[in-house]
Every structure is written in structure tokens, then in C-alpha cells.
């Protein structure tokens, strides 16, 4: 971190003030605003020789912002950035109600920005204590707007893209593996849509899967 700070100062030929955004599970967590305090915080009583040595070490200060100190109302006034901060703030205690707020806010910003943002947040939230991942995001959107057209939904398109990038990344340069990856991708998305109660005709239209393949997938559920 200190090396990165020094490189920025060198390139900009100016003063760089780092800003750290903190969102710990413990709301009362205190993050030091300078490098040396953070590095030495595990020592309760720093030996005198080490204290003398520290004055020769480079140090830098940061602006530290604890998300817990910002009201949710203010967070949600910041467009895409506000959605990200809201998602970070509720990471440790995420519920389907929080996902609903995120999806509603995403529906009001540029569609391409919303897709990129939601794809990242789905991956982020899959690692919460409650594991609210892609299936939950898809289910919440359908609960919010059960009657809208399938092509107007955000989640199916994101789910297809997410799986496609993953499959293509694994099978890069291997035509046979790529074809298999795409088949598995469509099957995985079709299964998630079926579990969410989506009509079979819509599942086939969305995933481009054949009627025979869909019948076989239903048997595996």
C-alpha cells in the first residue's frame, strides 16, 4: 500500500490523500487513519528500541469513512455509487428485503450499468453468511414484478451472461470444451428458472433449449 501511495505521488507530482471506505461486521470497529498505527496495532506495548526505529519509517494518513456512520437515506441518493455502498453496508445482515431495495434502485438507472452492477453484487452476496446468490436475486425480481414481460427482466439476461463468461473462460481455446460449456450453461440457467416457477415456454425462449432437453432436465429435479 505504501509503495502504491509513493508511485501515485511520483506520477502526479503532487500530494495524494488516500480514502478508505470501511464496513466491518462489528459496527464499532475502529480503523486507524495512518499506516504505522495500523501496522503496529497488534502490539500492546511497543518495545522502546522499536519505538525509536519507527520515527525513521515512512508513514501516510488516510481519510477513513465508516459506512455505518452514514444514513441509508443518504446512501441511496448517490445513484450507482449509492447502490454499491448500500449493498456493502448491509452485506453482513443481508435479507431478501435488502435485495429488493437493490433491484428496485437498479431498475431506475441505465440498463447496461444496472446489469454490470447486479452481476458484481450477486457474486459479492453469494459469500454472505446467508449465501444470498443469483437464484435469490432472480426470485426477488420475480416477486417484485410478477407480470412484466420476460425480455424486460434484468436477471435472466444477467444469469445467462454470467454463466456464459464463466463457461467460455474455462473452455478458452478449446472448441469442444466451449460447446460443452455452453450446453451446460443453458441447462444450469433452465434449471434455476424452472425452480423459480417460470413457465416452460418462457424457459425455452430464454435459454434456447429444446423441448426434449427441457423434459430431461425436469426429470432430474
Amino acid at each position: 500500500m505504501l509503495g502504491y501511495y509513493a508511485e501515485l505521488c511520483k506520477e502526479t507530482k503532487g500530494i495524494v490523500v488516500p480514502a478508505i471506505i470501511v464496513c466491518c461486521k462489528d459496527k464499532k470497529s475502529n480503523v486507524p487513519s495512518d499506516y504505522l498505527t495500523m501496522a503496529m496495532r497488534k502490539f500492546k506495548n511497543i518495545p522502546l528500541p522499536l519505538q525509536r526505529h519507527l520515527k525513521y519509517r515512512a508513514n501516510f494518513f488516510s481519510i477513513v469513512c465508516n459506512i455505518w456512520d452514514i444514513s441509508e437515506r443518504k446512501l441511496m441518493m448517490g445513484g450507482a455509487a449509492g447502490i454499491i455502498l448500500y449493498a456493502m453496508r448491509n452485506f453482513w445482515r443481508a435479507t431478501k428485503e435488502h435485495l429488493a431495495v437493490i433491484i428496485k434502485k437498479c431498475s431506475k438507472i441505465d440498463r447496461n450499468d444496472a446489469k454490470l452492477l447486479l452481476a458484481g453484487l450477486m457474486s459479492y452476496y453469494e459469500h454472505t453468511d446467508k449465501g444470498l446468490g443469483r437464484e435469490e436475486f432472480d426470485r426477488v425480481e420475480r416477486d417484485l414484478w410478477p407480470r412484466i414481460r420476460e425480455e424486460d427482466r434484468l436477471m435472466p439476461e444477467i444469469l445467462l451472461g454470467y454463466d456464459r463468461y464463466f463457461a467460455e473462460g474455462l473452455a478458452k481455446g478449446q472448441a469442444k470444451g466451449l460447446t460443452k460449456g455452453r450446453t451446460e450453461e443453458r441447462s444450469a440457467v433452465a434449471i434455476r428458472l424452472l425452480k423459480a416457477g417460470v413457465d416452460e415456454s418462457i424457459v425455452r425462449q430464454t435459454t434456447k433449449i429444446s423441448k426434449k432437453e427441457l423434459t430431461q432436465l425436469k426429470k432430474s429435479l
Side-chain angles (χ1 to χ4, degrees):
M1 183 68 179
L2 190 57
Y4 179 63
Y5 171 79
E7 282 297 318
L8 282 177
C9 291
K10 182 179 179 180
E11 289 184 12
T12 61
K13 295 181 173 58
I15 298 174
V16 177
V17 181
I20 300 175
I21 299 176
V22 180
C23 185
C24 300
K25 189 171 185 178
D26 182 1
K27 296 182 180 181
K28 298 180 180 179
S29 295
N30 179 36
V31 178
S33 60
D34 69 281
Y35 169 73
L36 287 181
T37 300
M38 183 178 292
M40 295 291 109
R41 67 184 308 174
K42 64 180 179 180
F43 297 103
K44 293 183 178 180
N45 297 305
I46 301 177
L48 185 58
L50 181 56
Q51 292 182 34
R52 292 171 179 171
H53 177 70
L54 288 177
K55 66 180 180 180
Y56 300 109
R57 294 292 304 273
N59 194 13
F60 69 92
F61 292 84
S62 303
I63 297 173
V64 179
C65 174
N66 190 336
I67 297 181
W68 291 111
D69 295 333
I70 307 174
S71 68
E72 290 194 356
R73 183 182 65 83
K74 288 185 177 180
L75 286 179
M76 299 310 291
M77 294 171 62
I83 297 172
I84 294 173
L85 293 176
Y86 175 87
M88 291 175 63
R89 176 188 174 97
N90 293 293
F91 175 79
W92 302 110
R93 58 190 184 98
T95 64
K96 292 182 180 179
E97 286 69 30
H98 292 114
L99 301 192
V101 172
I102 292 170
I103 294 173
K104 284 181 180 178
K105 289 295 181 180
C106 283
S107 69
K108 297 179 181 179
I109 65 176
D110 178 81
R111 189 172 179 86
N112 289 328
D113 291 342
K115 289 191 293 184
L116 180 63
L117 180 56
L118 281 171
L121 290 180
M122 283 191 296
S123 177
Y124 185 66
Y125 266 61
E126 278 182 332
H127 298 88
T128 61
D129 293 339
K130 298 180 182 179
L132 297 174
R134 289 177 284 167
E135 291 82 359
E136 286 71 24
F137 272 84
D138 182 67
R139 192 174 297 113
V140 168
E141 184 188 34
R142 294 181 184 283
D143 290 341
L144 286 172
W145 301 293
R147 297 181 181 179
I148 67 172
R149 297 181 306 172
E150 194 66 18
E151 56 266 32
D152 292 332
R153 296 186 184 279
L154 282 169
M155 298 311 302
E157 188 174 352
I158 296 172
L159 291 174
L160 283 168
Y162 188 98
D163 288 335
R164 183 174 67 250
Y165 300 146
F166 181 73
E168 290 179 356
L170 289 178
K172 186 177 181 180
Q174 302 177 15
K176 184 177 180 180
L178 182 56
T179 300
K180 181 180 178 182
R182 284 174 174 166
T183 301
E184 292 176 349
E185 164 207 341
R186 290 195 297 268
S187 299
V189 175
I191 289 174
R192 283 199 290 272
L193 294 177
L194 287 172
K195 287 182 177 179
V198 180
D199 186 85
E200 290 183 23
S201 61
I202 296 177
V203 175
R204 289 180 57 198
Q205 179 184 353
T206 302
T207 61
K208 309 301 181 185
I209 200 169
S210 69
K211 186 175 182 180
K212 182 179 180 180
E213 288 175 313
L214 189 61
T215 301
Q216 292 177 339
L217 287 177
K218 289 175 62 179
K219 291 180 180 179
S220 67
L221 296 179

